[in-house]
Amino acid sequence: MPDEEALALDLGSYELKFGPATNAFDSIRRVRSVVGADRHAYPYIGPRLEVARKTGLLAQEVTPGVFWDNAAVAEKLYAFAFEQLGWESQEHNVVAAVPPAMPYDCYELSTQLFFERFNTPGLRFLASPQTALYGAGRAQGICLDVGEHATTVTPVTQDGTLRFALQDTPLAGQALTGYTQQYVLSRLGLTEPPPAPSGSKRDLGNDQSFEVQCTALKESLFKVGASYDHAVGRFRDAARLQKDAGLPQQEQQQQQQQQQQQQQQQGRLVADAALFEERDKDAVLVLPDGEKLGFVVPPEHQYRAAELLFRPAYEPHGVELLSIPQAYWNCVQALPHSVARDLVSNVVVCGGCSLITGFADRLSSELECVSPVHLRPRLTITRERADTVWKGVAIVASASQFDEMYITKQEYNEIGPNIVHRS
């Protein structure tokens, strides 16, 4: 096996994270898991993709898929990672974190791609829940990954993931982006994204710039309240204070005192009217022709989108969806009693969608509500939780004893892609 550092990969559906497998975790790099192409099929990745998107050069944008089974797109992203590091692919082993429910044929496809296209000397796949726990300093527990396309709850023991208890729900980053798109259109009085002007290369619906802008708005505007009803109640109280601002001062003070007493009895604090005004946020949507449409997002709606993660009944989907707390509890209930108590004491939260303001506190309280006293969870929620999976890959791959776990190019040549299924 080569003495060079291994390439650590986190094959996320939103971002590809990559870097040398060392304990220097600041070496991580990232790129959106998207490849754009112009009408001549010239590929655009990373910063060049952003430039091409703004200048209207793109004819399409394609992702590698949740399980990275689009080989053509995955190949370009892997090549980009090697190029950014200045590495020759035939000189470095590869360790990749993959989704916990990745189909067997997708494993074989990725194995074939690394050994035949990149001539990788050694390869190893690890389940992302395992590496998330390693990244958080745990050997076993439950990984709650709030990603782009799905939220997955996966129990992990020292023997590996317990796939029979795995739970998932589509309530994740993409669902919030979809809500944001609907909200933006409704605020602007539109039923669909505006088309590009006649003769223009840019098309808001086709080049995904509308989705990109809504993703940015989602990340900057929305937050999670300790309780949605509590948050909305505060803002309605503050709005009522604003409405009463024109009353005589003595009558206004009496009403304010009465409202404060009522709210204090319910364990709430009344939001100040000035604070309510400060929490209104301005947003802008840039149309294909360059025109900018501005609108205001009131505080109530800043909490409304992320509430989907905890109370999907607030948004009609046509089908019953599991909330994140429900998915967690279903996972715990599927576990044998002999391991359940040990695993719930190490619940590691990761994923980019978990970075929404207020998410960590709300999740803690929600999981406690659905759990009996003898199975109360103990959560590990770090500031770097978006990178926990990659960090775990780097830790494992940098260990000297890990060298014996690689699938080698020689073994691949002898057995073929099926070699990936060995234990």
Side-chain angles (χ1 to χ4, degrees):
M1 302 296 289
D3 294 330
E4 301 288 346
E5 293 174 330
L7 173 63
L9 298 174
D10 173 13
L11 308 185
S13 58
Y14 182 77
E15 282 185 332
L16 168 65
K17 300 183 181 71
F18 61 96
T22 67
N23 291 327
F25 302 123
D26 57 351
S27 63
I28 184 176
R29 305 189 188 190
R30 65 194 77 233
V31 63
R32 278 294 309 276
S33 301
V34 176
V35 174
D38 58 20
R39 59 190 182 91
H40 301 293
Y42 184 82
Y44 294 87
I45 302 174
R48 294 175 60 248
L49 173 64
E50 299 299 327
V51 174
R53 182 183 285 142
K54 292 178 181 178
T55 55
L57 293 175
L58 297 179
Q60 63 176 344
E61 297 183 28
V62 187
T63 70
V66 176
F67 298 113
W68 286 68
D69 51 351
N70 187 326
V73 175
E75 177 183 343
K76 291 180 175 62
L77 289 169
Y78 297 148
F80 177 84
F82 281 113
E83 178 184 344
Q84 290 296 300
L85 295 172
W87 287 2
E88 297 293 334
S89 59
Q90 64 271 19
E91 297 176 357
H92 297 268
N93 297 323
V94 173
V95 186
V98 298
M102 187 165 175
Y104 291 136
D105 57 341
C106 293
Y107 275 108
E108 295 178 10
L109 179 66
S110 297
T111 302
Q112 185 176 3
L113 184 60
F114 276 114
F115 281 123
E116 296 189 8
R117 164 61 178 85
F118 294 100
N119 293 313
T120 303
L123 175 67
R124 186 69 182 183
F125 293 114
L126 299 172
S128 57
Q130 279 186 300
T131 61
L133 263 68
Y134 296 152
R138 305 290 189 271
Q140 64 178 11
I142 294 177
C143 174
L144 198 158
D145 188 346
V146 192
E148 175 67 4
H149 288 82
T151 294
T152 58
V153 187
T154 312
V156 179
T157 67
Q158 294 182 352
D159 296 327
T161 60
L162 304 180
R163 294 182 63 162
F164 65 86
L166 184 150
Q167 298 287 322
D168 60 19
T169 174
L171 297 176
Q174 196 172 64
L176 300 189
T177 300
Y179 175 89
T180 307
Q181 291 175 314
Q182 296 177 7
Y183 177 76
V184 170
L185 291 176
S186 66
R187 292 289 293 175
L188 298 178
L190 304 173
T191 57
E192 60 183 13
S198 178
S200 173
K201 295 180 181 179
R202 302 183 63 184
D203 187 331
L204 192 59
N206 290 339
D207 71 3
Q208 296 185 340
S209 61
F210 178 61
E211 180 179 351
V212 171
Q213 291 186 69
C214 287
T215 299
L217 291 175
K218 173 193 71 176
E219 295 173 351
S220 62
L221 294 179
F222 295 135
K223 61 190 76 174
V224 179
S227 165
Y228 179 70
D229 294 329
H230 181 191
V232 172
R234 285 207 325 270
F235 298 132
R236 287 173 179 167
D237 293 336
R240 192 180 301 113
L241 290 178
Q242 284 184 310
K243 182 178 179 180
D244 295 340
L247 296 176
Q249 184 176 6
Q250 183 177 1
E251 184 178 350
Q252 182 179 351
Q253 290 177 348
Q254 291 177 351
Q255 287 198 6
Q256 289 178 358
Q257 290 176 357
Q258 292 176 357
Q259 291 168 356
Q260 288 176 356
Q261 291 175 357
Q262 292 175 357
Q263 295 298 326
Q264 288 173 355
Q265 290 175 358
Q266 300 174 16
R268 298 178 179 178
L269 296 176
V270 179
D272 182 77
L275 182 60
F276 179 81
E277 293 178 345
E278 292 174 1
R279 288 186 176 179
D280 278 348
K281 291 190 176 181
D282 296 325
V284 176
L285 179 71
V286 181
L287 301 183
D289 59 3
E291 181 184 358
K292 296 182 179 180
L293 298 180
F295 57 96
V296 175
V297 181
E300 179 178 344
H301 290 280
Q302 295 171 28
Y303 286 92
R304 178 69 174 75
E307 192 64 20
L308 288 174
L309 302 175
F310 299 97
R311 298 174 71 175
Y314 271 106
E315 182 69 14
H317 289 275
V319 294
E320 184 177 358
L321 298 176
L322 284 177
S323 68
I324 292 179
Q326 288 172 330
Y328 165 80
W329 180 237
N330 287 355
C331 171
V332 174
Q333 287 184 306
L335 293 173
H337 294 294
S338 57
V339 300
R341 181 172 296 184
D342 291 335
L343 297 187
V344 299
S345 65
N346 290 318
V347 179
V348 174
V349 179
C350 62
C353 192
S354 67
L355 295 175
I356 296 177
T357 303
F359 179 86
D361 292 337
R362 175 67 178 277
L363 180 67
S364 298
S365 62
E366 290 282 348
L367 296 191
E368 286 189 3
C369 288
V370 299
S371 304
V373 175
H374 67 286
L375 288 176
R376 286 292 170 85
R378 182 179 301 171
L379 275 61
T380 299
I381 308 178
T382 66
R383 293 183 179 180
E384 302 81 17
R385 55 188 176 274
D387 300 330
T388 302
V389 172
W390 182 87
K391 182 179 177 181
V393 176
I395 290 174
V396 173
S398 61
S400 57
Q401 59 268 33
F402 189 76
D403 291 343
E404 301 177 358
M405 301 180 65
Y406 285 107
I407 301 169
T408 66
K409 180 66 180 299
Q410 181 180 353
E411 291 173 324
Y412 174 81
N413 291 336
E414 294 174 356
I415 301 176
N418 288 334
I419 184 66
V420 73
H421 302 309
R422 78 176 186 185
S423 59

